[in-house]
């Protein structure tokens, strides 16, 4: 057995011990300017005035995701994973109450689960505060096989026949350059050399930007204000290049006081977001 294989086995064996790892708390401050910048970065148009103008401003719930993203960096810094050997595999969000248009949020981070797919390990890193709980699922390829819990399979459905719809949104060539100003300044989203070193032909769009754009479109597709989102989950399965057209397909079920949506987002017939689920309140 090589040293690399031996090290991989040791790391995999220790992964379950990460559950409960305390990543501390941070006070994250922002203003109306950052709220509006985020809305524009996920494709909000100027005539959607409630999300791009400070008068009667409403915050897109997915803005919580860049606010809590520091927990993934904190988990890496604590030794949970090496960034160059990890992927952002999935994302979930539960909205407890609307985000204020400006202020300071006390966000606590922790590792809440470690699961085993057989081939890979999945680490759930959670950001929690009064307003939301966000879970960033990190994939560690080749680190599975340690006998941990298997990921649960979702069976998203609702009562009765769903309403099906499809919508397309074209990303801007400058989308990643704009979105990185919301906080994630990883070089693969702006620098062609860094992207090439990571195996990409060109800088790629942030997964959370793709998700934010898709969710904003979901609200329009099911007739719900985008800020009425209460629950969200999706897997990242392929990268998006700025300029690509996102095609989102939905199945929705109207319930009393809410609408449940299952969705997939693709580029050129290739899924980029899979197993998507969202809940909007009426």
């Amino acid at each position: 057995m090589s040293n690399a294989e031996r090290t991989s086995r040791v790391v995999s064996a220790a992964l379950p011990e990460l559950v409960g790892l305390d990543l501390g708390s941070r006070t994250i401050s922002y203003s109306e300017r950052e709220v509006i910048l985020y809305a524009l970065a996920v494709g909000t148009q100027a005539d959607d005035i409630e999300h791009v103008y400070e008068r009667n401003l409403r915050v897109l719930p997915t803005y919580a995701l860049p606010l809590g993203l520091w927990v993934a960096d904190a988990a890496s810094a604590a030794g949970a994973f090496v960034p160059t050997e990890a992927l952002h595999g999935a994302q979930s969000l539960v909205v407890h109450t609307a985000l204020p248009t400006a202020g300071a949020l006390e966000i606590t981070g922790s590792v809440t689960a470690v699961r085993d797919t057989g081939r890979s390990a999945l680490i759930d890193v959670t950001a929690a505060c009064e307003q939301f709980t966000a879970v960033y699922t990190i994939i560690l390829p080749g680190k599975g096989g340690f006998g941990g819990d298997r990921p649960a399979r979702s069976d998203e459905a609702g009562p009765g026949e769903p309403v099906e719809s499809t919508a397309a949104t074209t990303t801007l060539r400058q989308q990643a350059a704009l979105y990185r100003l919301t906080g994630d300044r990883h070089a693969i989203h702006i620098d062609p050399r860094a992207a090439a070193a990571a195996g990409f032909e060109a800088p790629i769009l942030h997964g959370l930007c793709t998700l934010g754009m898709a969710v904003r479109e979901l609200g329009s597709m099911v007739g719900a204000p985008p800020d009425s989102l209460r629950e969200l989950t999706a897997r990242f399965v392929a990268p998006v290049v700025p300029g690509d057209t996102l095609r989102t397909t939905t199945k929705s079920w109207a319930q009393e006081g809410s609408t449940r949506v299952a969705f997939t987002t693709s580029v050129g017939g290739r899924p980029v977001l899979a197993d998507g689920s969202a809940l909007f309140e009426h």
Side-chain angles (χ1 to χ4, degrees), residues 1 3 29 45 50 73 80 125 154 173 198 200 212 266 282:
M1 180 186 301
N3 288 337
S29 300
Q45 300 299 304
E50 291 184 328
D73 292 333
V125 186
S154 62
R173 294 293 299 274
F200 301 109
S266 61
H282 296 164

Side-chain angles (χ1 to χ4, degrees), residues 14-276:
L15 285 172
E17 299 175 9
L18 292 172
V19 177
L21 177 64
D22 184 359
L23 302 174
S25 296
R26 294 188 188 180
T27 300
I28 305 298
S29 300
Y30 62 91
S31 68
E32 293 175 338
R33 178 182 181 277
E34 282 73 39
V35 169
I36 294 170
L37 175 62
Y38 174 79
L40 294 171
V42 295
T44 303
Q45 300 299 304
D47 58 0
D48 185 1
I49 196 167
E50 291 184 328
H51 297 108
V52 298
Y53 181 35
E54 54 272 20
R55 188 182 68 194
N56 301 322
L57 183 64
R58 300 174 73 171
V59 186
L60 292 175
T62 49
Y63 181 50
L65 300 179
L67 293 178
L69 187 59
W70 66 267
V71 299
D73 292 333
S76 174
F81 60 89
V82 177
T84 55
E85 300 175 357
L87 301 169
H88 188 177
Q91 184 66 54
S92 69
L93 173 67
V94 176
V95 180
H96 307 305
T97 186
L99 290 169
T101 56
L105 307 185
E106 186 74 15
I107 301 175
T108 299
S110 62
V111 175
T112 50
V114 174
R115 291 163 289 149
D116 184 358
T117 69
R119 179 180 179 277
S120 302
L122 305 181
I123 301 177
D124 286 348
V125 186
T126 297
C129 63
E130 179 182 348
Q131 291 77 14
F132 66 85
T133 299
V135 180
Y136 306 78
T137 298
I138 308 301
I139 300 177
L140 304 184
K143 296 294 193 297
F146 54 88
D149 293 337
R150 291 270 179 171
R153 291 188 175 273
S154 62
D155 184 19
E156 190 60 52
E161 290 297 316
V163 176
E164 300 185 19
S165 59
T166 300
T169 305
T170 300
T171 62
L172 303 175
R173 294 293 299 274
Q174 67 268 33
Q175 201 88 49
L178 179 60
Y179 187 85
R180 69 190 297 270
L181 299 181
T182 68
D184 182 349
R185 300 200 178 189
H186 195 291
I188 63 171
H189 303 298
I190 193 70
D191 184 349
R193 289 181 297 180
F200 301 109
E201 294 183 0
I204 61 172
L205 190 61
H206 306 68
L208 289 182
C209 183
T210 300
L211 183 59
M213 295 186 74
V215 173
R216 185 183 55 77
E217 191 65 45
L218 287 182
S220 299
M221 295 170 73
V222 301
D227 43 80
S228 67
L229 178 74
R230 293 297 173 265
E231 297 177 11
L232 171 66
T233 185
R235 289 193 303 114
F236 303 112
V237 294
V240 173
V241 175
D244 283 346
T245 295
L246 307 177
R247 184 170 296 276
T248 297
T249 302
T250 69
K251 294 182 178 181
S252 61
W253 294 264
Q255 306 170 8
E256 185 175 355
S258 65
T259 298
R260 174 70 65 179
V261 186
F263 69 95
T264 299
T265 299
S266 61
V267 171
R270 170 181 55 95
V272 296
L273 297 175
D275 298 331

Side-chain angles (χ1 to χ4, degrees), residues 1-10:
M1 180 186 301
S2 69
N3 288 337
E5 291 173 328
R6 188 175 294 108
T7 299
S8 178
R9 289 196 176 187
V10 171

